[in-house]
Amino acid sequence: MEYKRYDYGDPDAPKYTVTSPFGETTYPKFDYPISIIENYKRSAQLNKPMWVPLRAMEVQSISPNDMIRPTDAVKGQSVAMDFTSPKTGDYTFTDWFETEWTYVHSAGGPMLTPGFVQCEDVTDWEKCVKFPNFDDWDWTTFHEDYMKNRYDPNKVLAVDIGLGCTERFVSIMGGYTEAMIAFATEPEACKAFFEAFIDHEIEQFDRLMALYPINHLTYHDDWSNEKDTFFSPAMLEDMLMEPTKRFIDHVKSKDVVFDFHICGNMMRFAPYFAQLGVNLMQLQRRAIDAVALKKEYGNYFGFGGGIEGLTMGTTPTKEELVKLVRATVDLFAPKGGFYASVNARDPEVFWNGITEFYAYSREFYDKENATI
């Protein structure tokens, strides 16, 4: 079956407008055969989705700094962009682990303050690391307002839980160099910290699940730079696999999609992500071979992406755009596990990209699902 594509500007086109920190965006309104949430889960679980999920229009996200409000001078977590601060220059703040960060406006995010070291010796982590007491924080103010005034039950609710094992460990040790030395010299102490940290993550997740109908959880843990992984497969096996899998299994047991955010060239660790059982991965596209990853590991996990072959800042014709979108679906959509982001400032390119992703992927899955 061929599905209707409405042209941009067509007065008869079903549409709606969303306001965000980036301004107003007009989206096409589709006649979905099943709920957005059901299709999203099917795609993430590689279980006969009916279209490629469209991140911009089907997902609502909450950041850690929004969900948990501090009751004193401590800002909160450390991974969120700051759209609301009246400050115009760089500023430092202490997060809920009492780690010091510097928000760099030119970079659009926080960095560990140079020279800050919370733990000189990893074997003393139980003395120098102060886990936050969740009872000291305000969990309800944002929750009550969000669920009453902003939550859309027809969209996927995605929650970002903040720093993972390695990133939190790097922050307390004073940087990646110090953290990797600890990996090499004190693996047992590192593993003990990771197990304790995952206990903390599970408690945080359970508290959030009690408040929000979460469908998708994003977990940040950078294990690589753009050249290769920061540490060896043996170190991953010895220290990180067991606690990380324990957290992933717990999240998935609640019927929540697990999305692992990892920057850099993680290709060497791809078999381990298959073993961990992640549903989706947020990957640094320029650092990996996405086509090879889909071909070899597409039966284990999925990932997101934009329009393959589209150069940022260019404005393709509608015919060129349609061709690129269809090629992207053909490459990455088989069996599910792919969600799409259309990164275009031009509203017509955005509209046409979203429309073609939806209509063509429905036609694609109609054929694929009929043969399974």
Side-chain angles (χ1 to χ4, degrees):
M1 176 178 175
E2 186 172 329
Y3 293 94
K4 174 73 175 177
R5 280 89 158 157
Y6 284 97
D7 292 330
Y8 178 75
D10 184 340
D12 295 326
K15 57 183 177 293
Y16 64 99
T17 300
V18 173
T19 301
S20 75
F22 303 102
E24 288 191 346
T25 305
T26 300
Y27 295 91
K29 189 174 184 179
F30 301 127
D31 184 17
Y32 295 110
I34 60 176
S35 76
I36 286 173
I37 296 172
E38 172 63 21
N39 185 70
Y40 192 86
K41 288 182 177 180
R42 286 192 189 187
S43 180
Q45 295 166 359
L46 308 175
N47 182 28
K48 297 184 179 180
M50 300 189 72
W51 69 90
V52 166
L54 299 160
R55 187 85 183 212
M57 62 187 298
E58 297 179 9
V59 177
Q60 55 198 327
S61 300
I62 313 177
S63 75
N65 279 353
D66 290 330
M67 293 180 292
I68 306 170
R69 296 296 177 90
T71 55
D72 52 26
V74 177
K75 185 177 178 65
Q77 289 240 37
S78 57
V79 295
M81 295 180 70
D82 189 349
F83 293 113
T84 61
S85 173
K87 300 182 178 68
T88 56
D90 298 349
Y91 60 91
T92 61
F93 65 92
T94 303
D95 75 7
W96 62 351
F97 273 77
E98 299 186 355
T99 301
E100 186 177 299
W101 299 83
T102 298
Y103 192 91
V104 183
H105 275 270
S106 62
M111 304 293 290
L112 190 66
T113 298
F116 176 85
V117 179
Q118 188 171 2
C119 194
E120 297 278 357
D121 184 345
V122 67
T123 62
D124 289 332
W125 71 263
E126 290 179 276
K127 298 177 182 177
C128 56
V129 178
K130 182 180 179 182
F131 282 82
N133 183 347
F134 289 127
D135 292 333
D136 291 341
W137 298 74
D138 176 5
W139 296 75
T140 59
T141 300
F142 177 84
H143 165 260
E144 291 173 354
D145 173 69
Y146 183 84
M147 295 304 297
K148 180 180 179 181
N149 299 313
R150 285 178 277 175
Y151 172 66
D152 184 345
N154 297 310
K155 292 186 177 183
V156 173
L157 180 58
V159 167
D160 189 324
I161 203 168
L163 301 184
C165 280
T166 305
E167 291 189 347
R168 176 52 66 185
F169 186 68
V170 167
S171 76
I172 67 170
M173 295 302 296
Y176 269 96
T177 299
E178 294 77 10
M180 294 305 101
I181 290 172
F183 270 34
T185 58
E186 298 290 349
E188 292 184 4
C190 294
K191 173 71 177 297
F193 170 78
F194 296 145
E195 292 287 1
F197 182 78
I198 288 302
D199 289 341
H200 156 85
E201 293 285 81
I202 288 173
E203 182 181 355
Q204 182 187 177
F205 170 73
D206 287 346
R207 284 182 178 244
L208 292 173
M209 279 297 294
L211 294 169
Y212 300 95
I214 300 171
N215 309 117
H216 170 119
L217 187 84
T218 300
Y219 174 81
H220 294 251
D221 218 22
D222 289 344
W223 293 353
S224 47
N225 58 30
E226 291 198 24
K227 292 183 178 180
D228 202 348
T229 59
F230 287 121
F231 45 88
S232 69
M235 290 177 172
L236 174 61
E237 292 174 7
D238 290 346
M239 291 179 282
L240 281 163
M241 281 292 286
E242 186 176 337
T244 303
K245 183 165 176 53
R246 181 159 63 91
F247 183 54
I248 292 172
D249 288 348
H250 182 76
V251 171
K252 290 174 63 179
S253 74
K254 308 297 182 182
D255 194 30
V256 173
V257 171
F258 193 95
D259 192 4
F260 201 116
H261 175 107
I262 178 169
C263 291
N265 182 357
M266 47 62 70
M267 298 294 285
R268 186 153 61 127
F269 284 163
Y272 296 97
F273 286 108
Q275 294 174 36
L276 286 168
V278 300
N279 296 121
L280 298 172
M281 299 193 69
Q282 292 181 19
L283 301 170
Q284 189 176 352
R285 181 64 179 84
R286 71 182 184 216
I288 64 163
D289 185 342
V291 176
L293 199 64
K294 175 67 179 183
K295 182 177 180 180
E296 190 164 357
Y297 296 99
N299 290 330
Y300 297 97
F301 57 78
F303 49 87
I307 300 172
E308 190 75 3
L310 178 62
T311 302
M312 292 293 290
T314 62
T315 305
T317 66
K318 184 176 180 180
E319 292 73 21
E320 291 170 338
L321 183 67
V322 166
K323 186 176 180 179
L324 290 172
V325 168
R326 293 183 178 188
T328 302
V329 171
D330 290 342
L331 274 174
F332 298 122
K335 298 182 181 179
F338 179 69
Y339 63 85
S341 299
V342 178
N343 301 310
R345 294 184 178 182
D346 185 298
E348 185 171 356
V349 174
F350 181 82
W351 175 284
N352 290 333
I354 289 284
T355 298
E356 191 60 28
F357 259 122
Y358 175 76
Y360 183 71
S361 66
R362 281 207 64 185
E363 294 158 2
F364 179 94
Y365 284 128
D366 280 353
K367 294 175 185 178
E368 181 179 86
N369 294 338
T371 63
I372 297 177

